[in-house]
Structure formats: structure tokens, C-alpha cells
Amino acid sequence: MAEESKTSSTIWETVKTVFWALLIAGIFRTILFQPFWIPSGSMKDTLLIGDFLFVNKFAYGYSYASCPNIKIERIGLDIDAKNICGFLDGDNTRLFGSEPERGDIIVFRHPSNGTDYIKRVVGLPGDRIQMKEGVLNINGEPVELEDAGNFEEVLEAQGPLGKTPRCANGAVGVGGICEKERQIETLPNGVSHSILNVGPQRYDSTGVYEVPEGHYFFMGDNRDNSTDSRAPLTAPGGVGYVPFENLIGRADRVIFSSAGRSMLFFWTWRGDRFFEKLD
């Protein structure tokens, strides 16, 4: 009997330890920081496929989107943030809300499918946004651009999804050097960052987007390889205008980076990107 009691006590202590560990992790992830892996090249060369970062969730306050999605395909678990914090959804407001600044890199929930995206906010509520021959115009004025040479990378499968980059210098073949034109873009508030261009694309010239109140306009830094607010929600993969309540948090710094198919492949780690501050 004593042995059974000791075993039961050990099991109960293990259950309590796991419970409190999950609770603390859940609070940390919901209130403070959310881990995020970069799965695509839409933010190159600011963010590379395989970069890992923590999203600052208290930068803009809290909404239903602050709650985590819990998805474990192996056991069929799929709990959306709205299932947990849906009572906060619907009024496009935030608790302890603080508005983003133009140029912030933000993780947000897609307005229709709930997928987490990461892009740069270029349009604030009330702004008029337009692309003219590949140049971003904000409220009728083109942003400042400065040539910054080429961005080069090896044409090969990248990251766990095995995607290959698009190149401005044509079909170079696997193992060849893939180039993109790089420029430094300076937004009206003085925020400067690099952008990449491949060549003429559909959204290089657009009509005028008038950003509604309580919404934001997002674009990827890899301008010709980004599905963002330039594409309406009715378009395949389109993002459209993003409501204030859909913002999850701000990305401030790369914590870890790996160019391989797995973070365990230490020979693919990008040590020069560890703890790199984002602009």
C-alpha cells in the first residue's frame, strides 16, 4: 500500500508540474512574447527564411488576436484564438492599445483565414497609398529611394518548405547566383530599410488605396515576391486592409537563424544574424 501511495503521489506531482509549466508558458506566450519562424522570402533581405524571433505582444496592447492558436495536427487539435478570446473580438479596439508607427515590422492575423503573417506597415488610417512604376507613393508623394547594389543568394531549396527564390538575372540554374536589385527606401517619418525588386510585376502600378479608419496597409520588403495589402481579400491570398484588432505584435530582433531544413543542422546556422536588431 505504501508503495502504491508513493507511486500515486509521484504521478500527481508530475501532473501538477506539467500543468503549471503549460500555464506559465501560455501566459508568457499570450501576454509577453510569441515565437515566430520566417517561412517565406516575402521580407528579404530584412528577414530571411529560417530566421527565428520573438514578437513583442505588449507593443500595441491586447485583443482577441493576442491569444494563441493551438494546432497539433498529429492529434487533430485545432483551437483558434477566437475560440479562446472571442469575447474580445468585434469592436476593433485593444486593451492598453497603442498604435503602430509607419515602418514597424508586425505579425498580424490574416483578416479572413486567421493565418499569422509578418509584413511592414506602410499605410496608416486615412493614408492614400499607391504604387507608381514600382515606387511607393504615400499621400501623393513618392518615398525616397537610393540604389544599394544587388542582393545575392544561391539558387537552392530554402527552409523546411523547400522554396526556391525568384531571380532578376533570369534562370541561373540550381547552385547559381540569384540576384535581385536592392534599394534603400525611406518612409516619410524617416524609417529606412532595404527593399528588393525582381522585375516588372502586376502590383508595380496600382490605383489609389484609401486606408480606412482603424485599419493598416502592409507590404513585404521583397516587393515582387510578397502577397500583401496590395491584393484585396477577394484575390487569391490577398490581405487587403488589416484591422487594428488583428495586430499580434512587433518584431524587433532576430534571435536565431538557420539556413537549413532543420534548426538541428548546426552547420547551416547563420551566426552573424543571432540577436540582430531589425530596422
Side-chain angles (χ1 to χ4, degrees):
M1 293 292 292
E3 188 66 29
E4 290 181 2
S5 177
K6 182 177 180 181
T7 300
S8 298
S9 177
T10 300
I11 294 174
W12 176 238
E13 288 300 321
T14 300
V15 170
K16 288 196 297 182
T17 299
V18 171
F19 170 79
W20 285 112
L22 291 174
L23 180 62
I24 292 171
I27 293 173
F28 179 87
R29 193 179 189 279
T30 300
I31 298 177
L32 299 177
F33 297 97
Q34 174 176 318
F36 192 84
W37 282 96
I38 304 301
S40 74
S42 68
M43 282 295 293
K44 288 179 181 177
D45 62 339
T46 306
L47 291 168
L48 303 181
I49 295 175
D51 282 351
F52 175 79
L53 46 88
F54 281 107
V55 178
N56 180 348
K57 300 188 78 168
F58 53 85
Y60 310 122
Y62 303 95
S63 71
Y64 86 93
S66 302
C67 287
N69 294 322
I70 303 174
K71 189 171 185 178
I72 306 176
E73 294 182 356
R74 293 180 181 177
I75 61 174
L77 183 65
D78 188 0
I79 303 176
D80 188 83
K82 285 188 176 181
N83 298 130
I84 304 172
C85 296
F87 65 94
L88 296 173
D89 183 27
D91 58 2
N92 201 24
T93 60
R94 306 180 71 88
L95 184 64
F96 309 121
S98 177
E99 296 185 0
E101 296 183 7
R102 197 190 311 275
D104 285 357
I105 300 172
I106 297 175
V107 172
F108 60 89
R109 284 175 58 87
H110 188 282
S112 63
N113 63 34
T115 303
D116 290 353
Y117 276 46
I118 184 166
K119 308 285 182 184
R120 188 183 299 273
V121 60
V122 298
L124 306 179
D127 279 346
R128 291 174 290 110
I129 304 296
Q130 185 176 20
M131 293 296 295
K132 293 184 177 181
E133 297 182 351
V135 178
L136 173 62
N137 284 248
I138 301 176
N139 296 323
E141 296 293 331
V143 298
E144 295 181 24
L145 289 174
E146 178 185 351
D147 289 335
N150 288 336
F151 170 75
E152 297 183 349
E153 58 186 339
V154 176
L155 184 68
E156 60 184 358
Q158 298 180 346
L161 300 181
K163 295 183 177 180
T164 54
R166 298 174 59 206
C167 312
N169 55 329
V172 298
V174 175
I177 299 299
C178 177
E179 298 179 354
K180 294 179 179 63
E181 297 175 359
R182 177 166 48 194
Q183 295 174 301
I184 302 300
E185 179 180 86
T186 301
L187 301 175
N189 61 342
V191 173
S192 294
H193 57 276
S194 67
I195 60 171
L196 303 181
N197 293 287
V198 175
Q201 305 290 327
R202 176 182 179 183
Y203 289 109
D204 281 350
S205 294
T206 70
V208 176
Y209 303 92
E210 297 186 1
V211 186
E213 288 301 316
H215 291 72
Y216 296 87
F217 193 96
F218 286 87
M219 293 178 66
D221 290 351
N222 192 359
R223 291 289 159 82
D224 296 334
N225 194 36
S226 173
T227 302
D228 47 42
S229 292
R230 291 172 291 179
L233 281 175
T234 53
V239 173
Y241 306 116
V242 178
F244 185 38
E245 66 182 357
N246 281 43
L247 308 188
I248 294 175
R250 186 180 64 220
D252 295 322
R253 190 178 297 273
V254 173
I255 302 300
F256 172 83
S257 184
S258 172
R261 302 295 297 271
S262 169
M263 66 177 295
L264 299 178
F265 297 168
F266 63 87
W267 57 91
T268 66
W269 293 357
R270 307 183 186 105
D272 60 328
R273 295 185 63 79
F274 289 12
F275 304 105
E276 180 176 307
K277 189 178 185 301
L278 297 175
D279 296 319

